[in-house]
């Protein structure tokens, strides 16, 4: 007893790996389903394993026993992964079930240090970014408008308060980058997704153009400039006497202090580390949230 199945994957084989090594990796599958490794891709073959220009192509419709996954599929995928140049995804399809979740089983294999990057790329391109939108409660600029700006920020403020109290939570700086509008729209929607994750159900989002967290450093710079101007105005007024060396020394100290404060503000905002807190127990709403 068993089921009709399809095994599919493509893997780039590491340079220097022999054909014999590839055959050895595939042996459980080739023996179990009784077919051979070819040197050409043939779309008409129902059971195909071909090594073409360093690319291993497996596309086989087979009859699988119920221990096929553990004794054939997984060992073969892991063995091929050990000789592969890059990470790859292998799929075992159970063609006898209509249940979408049970029909497909996938395994990612390859060099261990490349698997996280492969998974990240897959997650990036599988995310339906075009479906991401601002919540109905959002105030401020529409998403399509902030996507046209070199710098975009998404602030948030508690319910019941005014948007003037909003604090920037996500800041994106695209200055100097050659990006088409489609990519800018994608970036803006990803920024909204991150902002929604930060805000949860407790905060209201307020998208707007600007530099975001750097505004705090700019505010510090503005205060330093005002202090310099105030002192300079006093010097120009004469203060009842001609300016002395000590006056200019004091002016220099104000300038140094102001610059240092701007630097400290920028560094602290960039490098701030949040103290870890106990992870909250998932709520019913979280548990029932739709996946994806």
């Amino acid at each position: 007893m068993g089921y009709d199945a399809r095994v599919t994957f493509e893997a780039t084989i590491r340079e220097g790996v022999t054909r014999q090594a590839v055959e050895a990796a595939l042996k459980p599958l080739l023996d179990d389903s009784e077919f051979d490794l070819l040197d050409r891709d043939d779309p008409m073959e129902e059971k195909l394993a071909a090594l073409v220009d360093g690319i291993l192509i497996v596309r086989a419709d087979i009859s699988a026993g119920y221990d096929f996954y553990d004794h054939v599929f997984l060992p073969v995928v892991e063995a091929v992964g050990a000789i592969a140049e890059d990470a790859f995804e292998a799929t075992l399809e159970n063609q006898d079930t209509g249940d979408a979740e049970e029909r497909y089983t996938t395994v990612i294999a390859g060099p261990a240090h490349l698997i996280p990057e492969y998974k990240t790329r897959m997650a990036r391109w599988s995310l339906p970014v075009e479906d991401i939108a601002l919540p109905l409660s959002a105030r401020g600029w529409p998403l399509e408008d902030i996507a046209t700006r070199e710098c975009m920020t998404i602030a948030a403020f508690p319910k019941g308060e005014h948007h003037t109290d909003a604090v920037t939570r996500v800041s994106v700086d695209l200055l100097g980058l050659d990006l088409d509008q489609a990519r800018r729209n994608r970036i803006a929607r990803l920024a909204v997704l991150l902002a929604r994750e930060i805000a949860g159900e407790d905060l209201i989002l307020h998208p707007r153009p600007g530099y975001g967290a750097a505004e705090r450093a700019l505010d510090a710079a503005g205060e330093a400039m005002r202090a310099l101007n105030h002192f300079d105005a006093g010097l120009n007024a004469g203060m009842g006497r001609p300016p002395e060396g000590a006056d200019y020394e004091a002016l220099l100290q104000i300038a140094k202090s102001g610059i240092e404060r701007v630097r400290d503000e920028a560094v602290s905002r960039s490098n701030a580390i949040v103290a870890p807190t106990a992870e909250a127990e998932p709520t019913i709403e979280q548990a029932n949230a739709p996946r994806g």
Side-chain angles (χ1 to χ4, degrees):
M1 295 293 292
Y3 58 95
D4 291 331
R6 174 175 294 168
V7 177
T8 54
F9 64 84
E10 288 189 12
T12 302
I13 302 303
R14 203 167 55 243
E15 187 176 353
V17 174
T18 65
R19 177 186 175 85
Q20 289 73 22
V22 175
E23 284 183 311
L26 292 173
K27 191 175 189 310
L29 176 61
L30 299 179
D31 289 351
D32 185 78
S33 300
E34 300 180 343
F35 65 110
D36 299 317
L37 177 64
L38 306 179
D39 57 6
R40 69 188 186 284
D41 185 2
D42 186 350
M44 302 304 295
E45 288 282 353
E46 290 187 359
K47 301 176 183 178
L48 175 75
L51 184 60
V52 183
D53 297 329
I55 307 295
L56 175 60
I57 305 166
V58 174
R59 187 174 58 246
D61 292 319
I62 61 172
S63 178
Y66 287 110
D67 61 353
F68 179 82
Y69 175 84
D70 292 322
H71 290 87
V72 179
F73 179 75
L74 190 57
V76 165
V77 172
E78 291 177 343
V80 172
I83 59 175
E85 178 73 23
D86 299 312
F88 65 95
E89 182 176 287
T91 301
L92 173 61
E93 179 186 355
N94 181 346
Q95 297 180 317
D96 288 350
T97 180
D99 189 315
E101 291 190 359
E102 293 183 0
R103 187 177 183 91
Y104 297 99
T105 302
T106 60
V107 174
I108 296 174
H113 67 288
L114 296 179
I115 290 178
E117 174 63 21
Y118 181 88
K119 289 181 176 179
T120 299
R121 291 200 307 266
M122 293 292 291
R124 177 188 176 194
W125 294 114
S126 64
L127 185 66
V129 175
E130 64 278 2
D131 293 338
I132 299 171
L134 286 164
L136 294 176
S137 61
R139 301 292 183 267
W141 287 46
L143 189 150
E144 58 269 19
D145 287 347
I146 63 169
T148 65
R149 295 304 178 111
E150 294 284 14
C151 299
M152 63 186 79
T153 67
I154 303 179
F157 59 95
K159 295 177 180 177
E161 296 188 17
H162 196 268
H163 68 81
T164 55
D165 299 319
V167 176
T168 295
R169 298 303 180 187
V170 177
S171 177
V172 180
D173 186 345
L174 305 179
L175 193 65
L177 298 179
D178 185 15
L179 304 173
D180 59 35
Q181 193 56 48
R183 192 168 174 192
R184 288 178 179 273
N185 288 336
R186 180 179 174 86
I187 291 169
R189 292 181 186 277
L190 289 171
V192 167
L193 180 62
L194 177 57
R196 294 189 69 144
E197 182 67 20
I198 293 171
E201 300 299 325
D202 301 323
L203 300 177
I204 295 176
L205 297 185
H206 187 268
R208 59 193 180 191
Y211 282 92
E215 291 170 351
R216 298 178 184 273
L218 294 175
D219 289 343
E223 290 182 15
M225 182 60 70
R226 284 190 291 274
L228 287 170
N229 289 337
H230 179 74
F231 194 90
D232 187 50
L235 286 179
N236 291 332
M239 296 188 300
R241 58 174 174 76
E244 300 176 352
D247 297 321
Y248 293 107
E249 182 66 26
L251 184 63
L252 179 61
Q253 290 303 317
I254 291 175
K256 286 182 177 180
S257 175
I259 293 172
E260 187 64 23
R261 183 186 167 200
V262 172
R263 180 185 179 280
D264 289 346
E265 187 74 24
V267 171
S268 66
R269 295 296 168 183
S270 299
N271 298 330
I273 299 176
V274 178
T277 57
E279 186 173 341
E281 291 293 328
T283 64
I284 295 176
E285 289 77 9
Q286 290 172 328
N288 293 335
R291 292 180 297 172

